Amino acid sequence: MSNKRSNSFRRAILQGSRQIKGCSLRDEVGLGLSQQLVRHVAYETLPREVDRKWYFDSYTYCPPPWLILAVTIAEVAVFMYYGFQLDRLVLQVSSPSFLKSPLPYHPQLRAQAWRYLSYIFMHTGIEHLSLNMAMQLLVGVPLEMVHGALRIGLVYACGVLAGSLAVSVTDMSAPVVGSSGGVYALVSAHLANVVMNWSGMKCQFKLFRMAMALVCMSVEFGRAVWLRFYPPAFPPCPNPSFVAHLGGVAVGLTLGVVVLQNYEQKLQEQSLFWIFFCVYAVFVLCAVFWNVFAYNLLDVRLPPPP
């Protein structure tokens, strides 16, 4: 969202709101469906009533929340394409041709830099895609409506890159597929923001919904851990790693929280944002050097290229 308020303007609104009694956004009546959706999103994501009112009055659906929808549509399209090509929708990873796609990250092909991002468009099966897609849409679209495509895209992309780099450093022989790095970055940032602003968040059934979100994340993570250590269909290549989930969570709890907490302020004016961004940049730089030198120095035994 552009044209954010200055601190002085926000203080003026706060002072004025203290003089208005019983004037809550929930008291608005006669709203259309689109306005009710905007109000719902405001209570889902913003902890202060003044921010919710400002967002409700200024949001115009222009531009619409296109980024998360576009990424999701692309993921579904790629999955369906390979579903027909491999002739399977469940556990596509068990197909001998699955890793021959130019999209997944594979340790033997780590010099192909695009794979550190493009792996999000491949999923191990429909169960993997469904869980990621549900969390991505239910959390990502409202966040994009409030914070804009640039901020949410930054958190998502950083989570995706951190996921693949974390795998290349800690699980060096495993491939990576799935959008869990980006999804877990968004979801963990949102949940942390809710916890940190618990009294201000007025979304309904927030404790139950947080519990359900954690259950979904745990189920998806547990599925990934099980698959990683399940005997691979085509040894010696192991099944995809689960470490990308943890990389996404790390980004969400650091960089993501700063992005979501500063709704009305420019990120470049926040010292905490630059601290976390610099830490992230150092991690990326160290991981790049690790990929260039460590594999040969440690004489890591890698699976054959697909």
Side-chain angles (χ1 to χ4, degrees):
M1 181 179 175
S2 59
N3 299 324
K4 297 295 181 74
R5 294 160 289 164
S6 65
N7 287 334
S8 59
F9 186 38
R10 180 171 172 268
R11 283 195 296 269
I13 295 177
L14 284 169
Q15 291 172 359
S17 65
R18 294 191 188 101
Q19 301 172 5
I20 303 175
K21 303 299 182 181
C23 186
S24 171
L25 186 56
R26 289 194 185 278
D27 298 332
E28 297 280 351
V29 295
L31 301 178
L33 288 178
S34 62
Q35 291 177 307
Q36 292 181 36
L37 175 61
V38 173
R39 180 174 64 180
H40 174 75
V41 169
Y43 277 97
E44 289 290 311
T45 56
L46 295 172
R48 294 185 292 265
E49 184 67 17
V50 63
D51 288 335
R52 292 191 283 261
K53 290 180 180 179
W54 174 266
Y55 169 72
F56 178 79
D57 290 335
S58 59
Y59 187 72
T60 62
Y61 287 98
C62 185
W66 60 271
L67 178 63
I68 296 298
L69 291 175
V71 171
T72 304
I73 291 172
E75 290 170 356
V76 173
V78 170
F79 176 79
M80 295 305 298
Y81 171 78
Y82 282 102
F84 287 114
Q85 189 179 69
L86 303 175
D87 194 25
R88 67 186 69 190
L89 295 178
V90 178
L91 284 179
Q92 286 186 356
V93 71
S94 63
S95 170
S97 301
F98 180 77
L99 291 177
K100 293 181 179 180
S101 165
L103 298 177
Y105 167 83
H106 192 282
Q108 283 280 20
L109 304 173
R110 64 188 184 279
Q112 299 176 358
W114 71 85
R115 291 179 180 268
Y116 289 90
L117 296 174
S118 64
Y119 74 92
I120 68 170
F121 297 108
M122 297 287 290
H123 288 78
T124 59
I126 194 169
E127 69 289 343
H128 187 196
L129 175 67
S130 299
L131 283 169
N132 277 347
M133 188 172 61
M135 292 189 289
Q136 187 166 278
L137 291 174
L138 291 175
V139 176
V141 171
L143 290 179
E144 186 181 346
M145 289 177 65
V146 172
H147 297 280
L150 185 60
R151 289 188 174 198
I152 297 306
L154 173 67
V155 177
Y156 190 88
C158 287
V160 170
L161 182 58
S164 55
L165 289 176
V167 171
S168 71
V169 171
T170 62
D171 198 0
M172 300 169 69
S173 63
V176 188
V177 295
S179 58
S180 299
V183 171
Y184 275 54
L186 292 180
V187 175
S188 58
H190 177 57
L191 294 181
N193 191 39
V194 171
V195 171
M196 294 169 65
N197 300 279
W198 187 260
S199 60
M201 286 292 186
K202 301 300 181 184
C203 48
Q204 295 180 332
F205 311 112
K206 57 185 176 183
L207 184 59
F208 171 76
R209 293 164 64 180
M210 278 199 64
M212 290 303 298
L214 291 174
V215 167
C216 290
M217 293 175 71
S218 300
V219 168
E220 158 58 14
F221 182 70
R223 182 209 59 81
V225 173
W226 169 82
L227 182 63
R228 173 64 180 88
F229 296 105
Y230 188 80
F234 301 97
C237 183
N239 286 323
S241 177
F242 60 87
V243 179
H245 299 69
L246 304 179
V249 170
V251 169
L253 295 180
T254 53
L255 200 61
V257 168
V258 177
V259 170
L260 298 191
Q261 275 198 319
N262 291 280
Y263 162 68
E264 77 288 342
Q265 295 176 337
K266 296 179 179 179
L267 291 179
Q268 59 266 31
E269 296 176 354
Q270 306 302 307
S271 57
L272 196 58
F273 168 77
W274 286 112
I275 292 173
F276 284 134
F277 189 79
C278 289
V279 170
Y280 178 81
V282 169
F283 161 73
V284 171
L285 187 62
C286 292
V288 170
F289 276 98
W290 180 273
N291 277 270
V292 173
F293 300 109
Y295 281 76
N296 292 330
L297 292 175
L298 298 176
D299 195 22
V300 179
R301 297 182 60 183
L302 296 177

